[in-house]
Amino acid sequence: KNNGGIVPHVDAQRKYLSLMLYFPDEEKNEIEYGTTFWNCSIRNHENKHISNIEKIKIFKKSSEIEFKTPFNKNCLYGFSRNDLSWHTVEPTNISDNYVRKSININFYYNN
């Protein structure tokens, strides 16, 4: 929902592939609401989420944006999980009624 986001993380160890499909209401106004991928040398084998506000600021200062998926309709984006596949969804602030809509398809290894 509005002002929502997802903090820096690399996904669960059992996951090996994520696919994302976005559903913007108005594509030209929502283009910036995709997933942000970070170039960060910190390995995160356990998939610890960085949720502390100060630690998020430190993470972003010491990392660079590698790629940000455009929030386009009719496009499928995907990535494979590894210990360096840091990504976020940056908070959006449009209107109180805004909902960022997407379908995420995740593939996992069997135990």
Side-chain angles (χ1 to χ4, degrees):
K1 294 189 174 187
N2 196 46
N3 287 319
I6 301 174
V7 299
H9 67 288
V10 298
D11 284 344
Q13 291 175 324
R14 289 184 41 241
K15 188 187 296 187
Y16 64 90
L17 180 67
S18 294
L19 302 175
M20 301 170 296
L21 186 60
Y22 302 135
F23 297 93
D25 293 329
E26 298 177 33
E27 192 166 2
K28 65 181 179 184
N29 294 331
E30 298 175 62
I31 196 83
E32 294 295 320
Y33 305 151
T35 301
T36 302
F37 293 90
W38 296 88
N39 184 350
C40 178
S41 61
I42 301 168
R43 293 196 172 274
N44 187 359
H45 185 68
E46 294 84 22
N47 183 27
K48 294 181 181 173
H49 289 55
I50 300 174
S51 54
N52 175 284
I53 293 172
E54 288 305 314
K55 289 184 179 181
I56 290 172
K57 289 179 185 177
I58 292 168
F59 171 85
K60 289 181 178 180
K61 260 189 178 175
S62 65
S63 305
E64 292 181 5
I65 294 175
E66 183 78 27
F67 181 73
K68 187 169 187 174
T69 59
F71 199 75
N72 290 332
K73 63 182 175 182
N74 300 323
C75 291
L76 182 69
Y77 301 99
F79 69 98
S80 59
R81 186 256 183 238
N82 63 57
D83 292 345
L84 297 171
S85 59
W86 289 96
H87 57 284
T88 60
V89 174
E90 296 302 304
T92 59
N93 185 4
I94 308 172
S95 71
D96 290 341
N97 298 326
Y98 179 75
V99 176
R100 178 186 180 272
K101 294 179 284 297
S102 70
I103 292 177
N104 297 334
I105 303 165
N106 300 306
F107 294 86
Y108 292 88
Y109 294 107
N110 287 331
N111 285 342

